[in-house]
Amino acid sequence: MKAEWIRKSGAGRVVVFFCGFACDAGFLRESDLPDGCDAVSVYDYTSLDFDLDLSEYPEIGVAAWSFGVWAADLVSGKLSRADARAAVCGSPYPVDAGRGIPPEIFRATLASFDERAREKFYRRVCGGAQNAEGPDRLSVRGARELRAELESLGRGFSELRARKPRWTLSIAAKSDRIFPPENLARAWSRTPPIFYEGAHLDMRLIRRAIVHAARPFSKVGRAFERSAQSYEANAKVQGGVAKRLASMVLSRGFPRGERVLEIGCGTGFLTRELAPKLSPAAWFLNDLSE
């Protein structure tokens, strides 16, 4: 694995971003980063050795895209201090019939990876011509070099055991043509993915993950996320309070067509009570927990 610093300013927090297959040092750019953090990009898995000294940073966050999710798991023991880990369009089980890329598709891609296949693959990654930002993010290396990287990853998938640390956020794209969305839904049993519109490579989703990894992860937020799947079944009092509050808001004649900011929206108790009745122009939902 190669590493390239995107920003090194002496901040107290660093984001380690694991690129996917077929990325170079320029995949991640400083304009992709939020303020207040440094960042280093990890790419090129022709070698799976990882040697990155982050001892000067008191806080670490991890973000990863595509096959970079598995790579981040592989070296997670060296990043054990990371308190936020965000995965985008990737799986801890990268080649798997039900939880990743089907094995026959991975084998076929590797067997036929030449210059023509490289261009076709890039189009699939980017979801077609409408993704103007995508293609120039991918590697300029030739097909022979990229095939060597893909072979290295394939050997790693079959021979190396990657740990399965807890990810604090997983993001998936509804129009992903590399990882079947239904497989990603099965892969993330502990951190169910949030699905957004987009292709496998969508910088908007990657930036969301980086923002998540760049903030110190709140202990309160962590507690809520651990119980997110069962929260509504047990939060009877909160549900009753939301109904009462919604009734009070509506009784005061809230104007239609306004913008609404809800702070601490949680799983959406109050949002679901108000949204069908207010029909505002825009909703802004904020919460400590993704």
Side-chain angles (χ1 to χ4, degrees):
M1 303 182 195
K2 297 179 181 178
E4 180 84 11
W5 283 95
I6 310 302
R7 182 192 292 157
K8 191 171 175 61
S9 64
R13 186 173 183 84
V14 63
V15 173
V16 185
F17 180 79
F18 288 82
C19 298
F21 162 63
C23 295
D24 293 332
F27 179 85
L28 195 65
R29 301 164 188 174
E30 186 159 2
S31 59
D32 299 317
L33 306 178
D35 295 335
C37 71
D38 287 349
V40 60
S41 181
V42 180
Y43 65 99
D44 189 352
Y45 304 111
T46 307
S47 166
L48 295 177
D49 294 333
F50 180 78
D51 184 19
L52 184 63
D53 183 9
L54 301 173
S55 57
E56 65 185 277
Y57 288 95
E59 297 178 358
I60 299 174
V62 172
W65 170 64
S66 192
F67 281 164
V69 173
W70 176 85
D73 281 351
L74 183 66
V75 302
S76 59
K78 298 181 179 180
L79 297 171
S80 58
R81 290 191 293 116
D83 58 3
R85 296 168 55 86
V88 184
C89 297
S91 169
Y93 314 93
V95 178
D96 186 276
R99 298 174 295 180
I101 296 174
E104 63 274 13
I105 293 179
F106 180 82
R107 289 193 294 266
T109 300
L110 179 58
S112 62
F113 202 87
D114 56 17
E115 291 296 340
R116 183 177 177 181
R118 170 182 177 271
E119 297 306 315
K120 183 178 179 182
F121 175 76
Y122 280 14
R123 287 195 297 271
R124 287 175 55 221
V125 168
C126 297
Q130 70 274 14
N131 187 352
E133 189 181 11
D136 72 330
R137 296 276 182 159
L138 295 172
S139 179
V140 297
R141 286 176 282 153
R144 180 176 296 180
E145 288 183 78
L146 292 178
R147 181 171 180 173
E149 181 185 3
L150 197 57
E151 288 174 341
S152 173
L153 284 164
R155 287 193 299 272
F157 298 156
S158 62
E159 297 173 4
L160 301 178
R161 182 177 295 276
R163 298 184 183 185
K164 299 293 186 292
R166 185 177 184 276
W167 292 79
T168 52
L169 173 67
S170 58
I171 293 173
K174 293 180 181 179
S175 301
D176 196 324
R177 296 170 60 188
I178 303 299
F179 281 89
E182 62 274 15
N183 282 13
L184 290 183
R186 285 189 288 265
W188 294 99
S189 57
R190 290 198 295 173
T191 312
I194 302 172
F195 280 89
Y196 293 98
E197 299 293 341
H200 182 67
L201 172 51
D202 189 318
M203 291 307 301
R204 297 171 301 172
L205 307 188
I206 289 173
R207 292 184 188 110
R208 285 178 186 268
I210 293 170
V211 167
H212 179 87
R215 59 173 185 154
F217 200 60
S218 160
K219 291 182 179 179
V220 175
R222 190 193 304 269
F224 273 106
E225 292 194 2
R226 277 200 299 265
S227 61
Q229 299 308 302
S230 59
Y231 179 78
E232 292 206 8
N234 295 286
K236 305 298 185 184
V237 173
Q238 289 87 337
V241 169
K243 290 181 183 293
R244 176 74 180 275
L245 181 56
S247 176
M248 293 170 62
V249 169
L250 295 169
S251 69
R252 299 190 179 197
F254 192 91
R256 300 175 69 84
E258 295 292 328
R259 295 185 297 170
V260 173
L261 168 64
E262 184 182 349
I263 299 173
C265 63
T267 56
F269 278 125
L270 182 61
T271 316
R272 289 196 297 272
E273 292 293 328
L274 291 176
K277 298 163 187 173
L278 294 182
S279 300
W283 283 80
F284 298 87
L285 306 179
N286 173 276
D287 197 86
L288 192 63
S289 165
E290 290 281 352

